Amino acid sequence: MVVSSILIAQTTLTVFAAASLHQAFPALGTQFEASHPGISVRFSFNGSQILEAQLEQGAAADIFASADKRQMDKALQAQLVADPKPFASNELVLVAASSSKVTTAHDLSAPGTKLVMCAQAAPCGAYARRLLQGMDADPAYGQTYSGGVLRNVVSEELDVEGVMSKVTLGEADAGIVYRTDALNQPNLRSIALPALPGTPIVYAIGVVRTSARASTAADFVAFVLSAGGQKILAKYGFSAART
Amino acid sequence: MMHRSTRAAARDTTLTATALALGAAFALFSLTALVALIVRVSPAGLWTALRDPVVEQALALSLRTSLISAAFIIVLGTPVAAILATPFRGRAILETLITLPVVLPPVVGGLALLLAFGRAGLLGRELDFLGLHLPFTTAAVVIAQTFVSAPLYISVAKSVLSRANPQLVEAASTLHASRAYTMLRVVIPPALPALAGGLTLAWARALGEFGATITFAGNLPGVTQTMPIAVYMAAQTDLQAAIAVAVLLMLLSYGALLAVRHVAGESSVVM
């Protein structure tokens, strides 16, 4: 093993991935490295919109994995990535500390509730606003629901990790995050939200056009889409990409 | 004799040339980054950015909070500096501790503030009893700014106050003036320009505060979204607007630092 890693030249793939992938992707990377000797995969996790902006300014990456179609379309239009593929789906949930007064989605519009969510610029923030506005049409919540909820927002975080930390530290009563973020959090309660109206939450992955290791990068993308890759993603709570 | 002095002169010239080359390289390095920002924005773009309600709100909030922080820094920092100006046992340890927030990564500073003054923090229950809820408020912005930038003022003030004219201090002492009176009437007045310089430096740092603010206070337009946070948010959607706001922030800081030089004078310890 030691000998082979000395003999085979090391190739490092740099993957720019949405913050919500920060647990699943390292697991994918480890598996990929195990089956591809001489290749190591490193990750830069951030809000998809931040990664997209970094790519536009010429950041060196081999792969871009976005949490929404909007950022991937932007990258595609700017000719930064080639042929992106949907690879996973996710849902929004509510997280609250076990001791929080928030137990259902109805509590979010109660005056005095401290809610944190992502900023509009981040995919998680755009999804959350669309979902809340969709809930206005549901008589169970009422037409003024989203207005009441948005008035309770005490902070617009840069990414889903920011929301999780404010809720985990007990500063906010509840936060809107992805289902996958709320998994394996013993001190937090995960509360289901209605399905997102319109286009679902679909993650997309593509090889960066300027990559000097495009064929290896394409191998990694193929691995993410393969049965083995999808199994790892499912383990971290992602579902198959809906179209 | 003649020979040696020629060699010394030659060595001097080489040293000067090396210093000049290294200095020029550094100046070029710093200036390139600043120029890169400035060339990307037009006066019209700057004007448009300034009239954007989000920017206006952030600018007003930044000015308001950083000025309040500056007031806190004078009131709380000056006594600390006065105490540190005279030697005592354990002074070095205390001084290093007080300076620590400057070198701490700001996000860590913000986290420390949350763990101390947050709802679930060390003093959370006591603060709740008093009806004080700090995170996500403008007060939290001021606390974060003061925490991070006060040490800059304190260290400048401490070194200014410790260099007070010993003859004057001695004279005050023989006239039975108390130490506090001596500090207030003899030591501080001539040090005022240098103190103002230290304060401006701390104020400029407070104006640029980002990490501790977003961690402890969060990000909400009009309440906790200061200029640096607004720049970061804008950079993700509208880079041109972000650059305009950044240039605005830069001009403001430049003006402040220039004012420091003017107030504190060339010989000041500040720069």
Side-chain angles (χ1 to χ4, degrees):
Chain A
M1 192 60 203
V2 175
V3 175
S4 71
S5 64
I6 290 167
L7 290 178
I8 300 168
Q10 279 283 328
T11 304
T12 304
L13 279 182
T14 303
V15 181
F16 275 19
S20 48
L21 296 167
H22 86 282
Q23 284 175 313
F25 263 43
L28 280 167
T30 308
Q31 188 74 36
F32 185 75
E33 283 169 352
S35 55
H36 292 75
I39 294 169
S40 64
V41 189
R42 59 176 185 182
F43 298 95
S44 171
F45 294 106
N46 219 323
S48 303
Q49 78 286 4
I50 298 169
L51 296 171
E52 200 279 333
Q54 288 175 345
L55 286 175
E56 272 191 40
Q57 295 305 313
D62 300 302
I63 291 161
F64 177 42
S66 165
D68 76 349
K69 199 172 171 306
R70 187 170 55 144
Q71 298 305 328
M72 189 53 94
D73 283 351
K74 248 177 108 179
L76 195 62
Q77 263 169 23
Q79 306 217 316
L80 297 168
V81 290
D83 192 25
K85 298 255 188 344
F87 70 92
S89 275
N90 212 339
E91 276 166 18
L92 292 178
V93 297
L94 210 54
V95 276
S98 337
S99 56
S100 170
K101 57 186 175 181
V102 173
T103 53
T104 73
H106 290 278
D107 299 333
L108 289 187
S109 58
T113 302
K114 287 180 179 163
L115 175 68
V116 282
M117 57 196 275
C118 295
Q120 169 75 31
C124 48
Y127 287 138
R129 280 165 182 78
R130 180 146 60 86
L131 174 60
L132 292 170
Q133 271 143 23
M135 286 162 81
D136 287 350
D138 184 344
Y141 295 99
Q143 283 181 355
T144 57
Y145 177 73
S146 68
V149 175
L150 291 175
R151 264 196 297 281
N152 284 336
V153 172
V154 290
S155 183
E156 298 176 351
E157 297 295 322
L158 304 176
D159 59 26
V160 80
E161 296 301 312
V163 178
M164 284 302 288
S165 85
K166 295 279 196 301
V167 175
T168 311
L169 287 165
E171 295 307 333
D173 296 318
I176 299 177
V177 298
Y178 295 114
R179 185 187 59 209
T180 49
D181 298 303
L183 282 183
N184 306 317
Q185 298 284 345
N187 299 320
L188 299 181
R189 209 172 26 222
S190 169
I191 303 159
L193 286 169
L196 188 69
T199 42
I201 300 173
V202 176
Y203 290 66
I205 188 167
V207 175
V208 176
R209 275 177 181 271
T210 52
S211 169
R213 294 157 287 275
S215 75
T216 313
D219 287 348
F220 183 79
V221 172
F223 171 67
V224 171
L225 296 167
S226 72
Q230 292 289 307
K231 209 173 131 188
I232 293 172
L233 283 164
K235 198 180 125 197
Y236 286 90
F238 291 93
S239 43
R242 271 168 287 163
T243 41
Chain B
M1 197 69 184
M2 198 64 196
H3 183 65
R4 270 184 66 191
S5 81
T6 321
R7 258 200 358 220
R11 201 178 53 207
D12 267 7
T13 316
T14 318
L15 267 175
T16 311
T18 311
L20 267 177
L22 289 174
F26 179 72
L28 207 64
F29 160 72
S30 297
L31 282 177
T32 307
L34 300 179
V35 167
L37 268 180
I38 292 171
V39 296
R40 286 282 291 269
V41 68
S42 63
L46 211 59
W47 182 238
T48 316
L50 195 58
R51 290 184 48 192
D52 183 326
V54 175
V55 174
E56 251 173 41
Q57 223 174 17
L59 185 60
L61 184 74
S62 268
L63 288 175
R64 196 152 52 93
T65 52
S66 62
L67 288 173
I68 297 172
S69 299
F72 275 116
I73 290 169
I74 302 179
V75 174
L76 303 173
T78 312
V80 174
I83 291 166
L84 290 176
T86 40
F88 59 87
R89 262 176 79 98
R91 179 171 75 158
I93 292 169
L94 187 67
E95 197 181 340
T96 312
L97 214 60
I98 287 170
T99 324
L100 209 55
V102 171
V103 290
L104 217 59
V107 174
V108 176
L111 199 60
L113 289 172
L114 261 186
L115 294 176
F117 308 114
R119 189 157 69 171
L122 212 58
L123 299 177
R125 210 173 291 186
E126 287 78 1
L127 289 170
D128 185 57
F129 180 73
L130 297 170
L132 285 173
H133 302 104
L134 295 172
F136 311 125
T137 64
T138 307
V141 176
V142 173
I143 292 175
Q145 289 174 348
T146 306
F147 179 74
V148 169
S149 52
L152 286 175
Y153 170 75
I154 292 172
S155 57
V156 169
K158 179 235 152 190
S159 73
V160 172
L161 298 181
S162 62
R163 285 185 315 170
N165 186 338
Q167 281 163 350
L168 282 178
V169 175
E170 183 67 36
S173 160
T174 49
L175 293 170
H176 301 293
S178 72
R179 277 178 64 181
Y181 185 88
T182 309
M183 184 55 80
L184 222 54
R185 286 299 174 89
V186 179
V187 178
I188 288 182
L192 277 178
L195 290 179
L199 184 66
T200 316
L201 203 63
W203 171 76
R205 173 66 186 88
L207 191 67
E209 218 303 304
F210 177 90
T213 308
I214 199 160
T215 310
F216 182 50
N219 166 39
L220 196 68
V223 182
T224 53
Q225 189 179 85
T226 54
M227 282 278 274
I229 298 174
V231 171
Y232 192 74
M233 296 305 292
Q236 300 171 20
T237 45
D238 183 354
L239 195 62
Q240 206 51 46
I243 292 169
V245 180
V247 168
L248 213 62
L249 196 60
M250 208 167 82
L251 292 175
L252 208 62
S253 308
Y254 184 73
L257 293 179
L258 209 60
V260 173
R261 294 207 71 106
H262 187 70
V263 170
E266 291 289 324
S267 61
S268 155
V269 290
V270 178
M271 266 166 282

